[in-house]
Amino acid sequence: NIIKEEDGVTMPGSYMIEMFESVGFTSDNFADSGQLIETITNSLTEHTIVDDNQRGSSLQQFGEVLRIVYGSSGDPLERSLSYNVHVHALKAKSSNQFNKNLTGMERTLSYWCMSPGVVMREISATEGLRSILLTSGTLSPLDSFAQELQTKFEVRLENPHVVEAGQVWIGVNSHGPGGHLLNSSYKT
């Protein structure tokens, strides 16, 4: 299921777990690893080792990824079914020897959640949480929305549309007010 594109490589979420396990990170040692990363990050923040904007930020982001992969309840491999891993390389923006490899390329590893229900379950499991209030003018029908969030709504209020058919215009604007071509591609 590896999808290769000119912009990178996309793999199933289980790749992240396989990669972490190949270097010794597992759900069994996550708590110790997470605590160690937090301790190091705090130490870097307290001591002037690098400039203020970078002090421990990469390590902190790595710790956050470990928390997402291993820190939630349930089986990480099962949860990984709701994620994709994407790796892409860009020409390095800086000449910093610490963030650039020999090819002059910076690689970015992304762990994309493909299901909003994963996050909704985590929010719902928060200790002390009594209510979640979702409001919008475009959530109807609620049944499909509840299914997408993998959540049961105990109380629902769904009103009819308040906008009359004559108040709606459907069209395509290809150019903006200044005459510039509009492009909604994620590549630009």
Side-chain angles (χ1 to χ4, degrees), residues 114-168:
M114 306 307 283
S115 169
V118 171
V119 175
M120 194 62 173
R121 281 194 309 269
E122 286 184 28
I123 292 170
S124 299
T126 302
E127 188 176 324
L129 180 73
R130 293 177 37 191
S131 299
I132 297 174
L133 180 64
L134 299 173
T135 63
S136 174
T138 58
L139 296 180
S140 185
L142 286 176
D143 289 335
S144 63
F145 185 66
Q147 186 176 9
E148 188 175 324
L149 289 180
Q150 300 169 7
T151 302
K152 188 172 160 185
F153 295 122
E154 300 295 331
V155 177
R156 295 181 182 194
L157 173 61
E158 193 171 0
N159 292 318
H161 287 283
V162 294
V163 178
E164 300 292 328
Q167 296 174 304
V168 176

Side-chain angles (χ1 to χ4, degrees), residues 32-72:
D32 293 336
S33 300
Q35 182 61 45
L36 178 62
I37 288 171
E38 185 176 332
T39 301
I40 293 170
T41 302
N42 289 340
S43 178
L44 288 172
T45 302
E46 292 172 9
H47 299 90
T48 307
I49 295 176
V50 292
D51 70 55
D52 286 341
N53 294 329
Q54 294 180 342
R55 236 183 261 163
S57 64
S58 295
L59 188 59
Q60 196 170 20
Q61 288 175 357
F62 179 69
E64 182 64 16
V65 170
L66 282 177
R67 187 197 65 73
I68 290 168
V69 173
Y70 293 114
S72 300

Side-chain angles (χ1 to χ4, degrees), residues 52-96:
D52 286 341
N53 294 329
Q54 294 180 342
R55 236 183 261 163
S57 64
S58 295
L59 188 59
Q60 196 170 20
Q61 288 175 357
F62 179 69
E64 182 64 16
V65 170
L66 282 177
R67 187 197 65 73
I68 290 168
V69 173
Y70 293 114
S72 300
S73 61
D75 178 29
L77 196 55
E78 183 180 315
R79 206 172 38 258
S80 75
L81 297 173
S82 297
Y83 287 84
N84 281 343
V85 176
H86 184 76
V87 181
H88 69 276
L90 298 171
K91 187 170 178 142
K93 294 178 184 174
S94 110
S95 60
N96 183 336

